Amino acid sequence: MELADYATDSVIRYDLEGNIQYSNAATETHYGWKPTAMLGRHFSDLMLEHAEASMLWEKLFRLGHWQGPLRRRSHTGGAINANVRLAIRHDGLGNPLDVIEYSAVSANVAASSGASASQIAALGRAACWQFSLKRVRHLLDPANAQLSRGATADEWCPDRWDTLLTAVQVTDVNDEAVQLFGLPADRDRVIDRPVASLWPEQSRAALGDLLTALAAKTDAEPETREIPVVGRLQQVVLTGWRAADPRCPDTVFVRVEATLHAPNAVIELEASQNRYRNLISYLPIPVWQIDARAAGRIFDRLIAGGLSDMAAYSEEHPELVDLTCELVQVFDVNDEAMALFGGKERSEFIGPVAYLFAGTPGAARRVMLAHFSGIRNHVEELKVRTFDGRLIDVLLLMTFPVPGERLDTTLLMMIDNTAHLEAEAKLRKIEADFSHAARLSTLGEMTTSIAHEIKQPLAAILMNAQTSLRYLRKAGPNLEKADQLTSRVVESAQRASDIIDRIQDMARNRAPTYALLGLNDIVRQCLVFLRHESEDKNVVINLRLEPNLPLIRGDRIQLQQIIVNLIVNSIQAMKMAPHTRREIYLETSLDESDHVAFSIRDTGIGIATEHIEQIFDGFFTTKEGGLGIGLAICQSIVNAHGGTIEAANHPDGGAVFRFSIPTKNSDAAASNPTSSKYPPLHRQAY
């Protein structure tokens, strides 16, 4: 109870039956009871009504804690209004140990109840903290150079106080500390957090020096440190001491006394902070509040040392990412975040941010690079592992503070993207099925051409095989001629096999396979496939292919489907055109955006003006018996390849269709194209 001895709140310890085992000096100041007179009394002795005391004690053991205003009995029997907080303490096995009461009487209440001037004066407040040094013992070992100035650690190693105060854990605070330091009113959001995420930066060196001195002491004598000004505080005095109980060798206490200046500004600041906390608490999306100042200080030192390429540096020093994930701390979450992760207590979320990125390798580095680059926002999709074992897809949105704002708060938000991605996968499956149906429909329309294409090599095989047999059956077999004819049979058989393979590829329902392709080669393959169709319909195809086009990344069958569909549409559009004007002009080129482009123009009747805006809509068709999915599928495929497609009428008559695909060196090219309503994600930084 060493912290209680120095506290200005009344502190009373009860056993589990309600008998008082301890009270501090402030209890006498508040209620007039001397500590010796308090020992052995019962909880109900301090209450005006025994029935109320019994009900409250029962409620306390039902809930585990209680907080609110109470009318207490003074040593003279009078009534004193007090704000009281009761909590049951537990041992290491979770068994109830005792009950601790904190209470305070405000100055105006004390005055109205007839308290003396000396008692009112004694009600001045001091912020008290309780810390655990258990995690810093190895850092305070003189043989450990990590905390020594001029240590041989890498240049990115944080300042000694950053490292020390990140390892020191807060184990308790009083109400004055909550108010003075602007801490969350819910103590569960403070307990077990590193003090580095809560303590003002201007006085960290003083606190670190004080804790280092206390760790080296062997007695409970206090140590003090004085600081002239810390933000809105003046004449700051830190008083620290070690726990006298040998069972708590790692426990230390620090009391903060200071003078506030600009009280009106303080009131406005506290009101603003309360509004901010309420806003975060009631936001309808999961929000994490993060203190990333420790990482910022590392970055500042690296920049001061001449570093400009953090991406390369982090590749050479991957341990920097791990260190950043350890130093950057979550200090608060809202209810939506707890629900998303399946957490029950806020304390589960408080601590290093590493758990947020454990499900997606590389995500922590991208976020770190974004922070280093100084950008305002970072967005990316990632997978996270929840506390109840689920692996979910989320859209991560981070907002970093900029100079002029509170640099201790980085906002991290997550939107559960699982349902969206599942729906998107189903949509892609439906699109793939429609695409397959469109290819089958196109093949059905080209049955005559396909049969003709296959008949040609089969007829050549038959003729060459028969001729070869005649040469072999002569009295003097002509083996040389038979060899030539047999070679022709093999070539024709291979040609027939290639035709069948192309048909099977078009007919097969399979997932896209992306590779580097030449668009000119794809166009030539499509023309071989459509040669008989164009000849049968008396259509002349004029070809103009730009040489040496850069490669594009795409799926060969899908790109063939676009070109075949556009050519077949053009052939069908010219049924009513005079034979002398049935022409198609095909062209490939490199446009001004370094995208490879394909255009097709026919000499048909063109597109009706009222249909231009609907031409790519699903199930819109002007053909009798048409499905209306061909052009919609073409647009979907082009979009999935990161390109664009458009349609127009040519001034000289006929329709023009044009699509472009990014090259393999284009910034717009996607390494794994997918269809999504979200824009391409910025992944350069975090």
Side-chain angles (χ1 to χ4, degrees), residues 345-368:
E345 302 292 339
R346 275 186 169 78
S347 57
E348 299 178 73
F349 294 80
I350 307 306
V353 298
Y355 72 90
L356 295 172
F357 307 108
T360 305
R365 178 174 176 268
R366 289 192 293 273
V367 174
M368 185 192 73

Side-chain angles (χ1 to χ4, degrees), residues 111-417:
S112 65
S113 62
S116 67
S118 61
Q119 287 177 318
I120 295 174
L123 293 175
R125 293 293 181 252
C128 295
W129 297 69
Q130 179 176 321
F131 301 126
S132 171
L133 302 182
K134 185 175 182 180
R135 294 177 57 188
V136 300
R137 285 296 174 187
H138 71 287
L139 298 176
L140 298 172
D141 185 345
N144 191 326
Q146 188 171 356
L147 292 183
S148 302
R149 297 190 186 278
T152 58
D154 290 339
E155 62 269 27
W156 50 260
C157 185
D159 184 270
R160 60 188 306 214
W161 303 130
D162 290 342
T163 304
L164 175 68
L165 298 183
T166 297
V168 174
Q169 290 179 287
V170 178
T171 52
D172 201 4
V173 293
N174 68 352
D175 291 337
E176 284 67 39
V178 171
Q179 296 171 5
L180 189 64
F181 288 80
L183 305 178
D186 183 356
R187 281 178 170 77
D188 289 340
R189 305 189 189 186
V190 177
I191 306 306
D192 293 332
R193 280 181 59 179
V195 67
S197 66
L198 302 169
W199 199 271
E201 191 168 352
Q202 304 97 312
S203 59
R204 288 188 181 202
L207 177 63
D209 188 54
L210 175 62
L211 294 178
T212 303
L214 292 176
K217 292 177 68 69
T218 57
D219 55 46
E221 288 299 311
E223 288 269 343
T224 62
R225 298 292 185 272
E226 296 184 4
I227 312 168
V229 178
V230 179
R232 57 181 176 150
L233 305 179
Q234 294 178 334
Q235 301 173 351
V236 181
V237 178
L238 306 181
T239 303
W241 65 97
R242 292 190 57 178
D245 190 340
R247 294 173 298 177
C248 307
D250 297 313
T251 300
V252 299
F253 307 96
V254 173
R255 182 177 64 198
V256 184
E257 295 175 294
T259 301
L260 279 170
H261 62 81
N264 290 336
V266 171
I267 293 172
E268 292 175 4
L269 175 62
E270 290 179 348
S272 175
Q273 289 175 337
N274 288 332
R275 288 194 297 270
Y276 169 78
R277 292 192 187 103
N278 289 334
L279 173 64
I280 297 299
S281 296
Y282 294 108
L283 279 176
I285 62 174
V287 179
W288 282 255
Q289 296 183 71
I290 294 172
D291 186 347
R293 286 177 296 176
R297 287 189 288 273
I298 295 175
F299 299 157
D300 290 342
R301 284 190 287 272
L302 289 173
I303 292 172
L307 179 68
S308 59
D309 189 352
M310 173 58 84
Y313 186 85
S314 60
E315 286 283 356
E316 298 173 3
H317 299 275
E319 66 274 17
L320 174 59
V321 179
D322 296 333
L323 175 71
T324 303
C325 286
E326 183 66 27
L327 292 179
V328 174
Q329 299 279 323
V330 175
F331 66 84
D332 201 2
V333 297
N334 66 357
D335 292 341
E336 294 290 333
M338 294 177 62
L340 179 66
F341 267 63
K344 298 180 179 178
E345 302 292 339
R346 275 186 169 78
S347 57
E348 299 178 73
F349 294 80
I350 307 306
V353 298
Y355 72 90
L356 295 172
F357 307 108
T360 305
R365 178 174 176 268
R366 289 192 293 273
V367 174
M368 185 192 73
L369 292 177
H371 189 182
F372 179 84
S373 69
I375 64 173
R376 180 62 160 163
N377 298 300
H378 174 75
V379 180
E380 73 167 273
E381 293 176 346
L382 74 160
K383 292 183 180 293
V384 294
R385 179 73 65 180
T386 64
F387 295 159
D388 50 7
R390 292 173 293 125
L391 189 65
I392 62 175
D393 294 283
V394 300
L395 184 67
L396 172 74
L397 306 100
M398 296 197 70
T399 298
F400 301 102
V402 297
E405 299 178 348
R406 287 187 56 178
L407 300 179
D408 61 340
T409 303
T410 294
L411 292 181
L412 182 151
M413 291 163 278
M414 291 184 182
I415 299 175
D416 189 350
N417 216 16

Side-chain angles (χ1 to χ4, degrees), residues 582-598:
R582 293 184 182 178
E583 293 186 83
I584 292 177
Y585 299 88
L586 304 181
E587 182 178 356
T588 61
S589 61
L590 190 67
D591 67 14
E592 62 279 0
S593 301
D594 287 335
H595 289 194
V596 171
F598 170 87

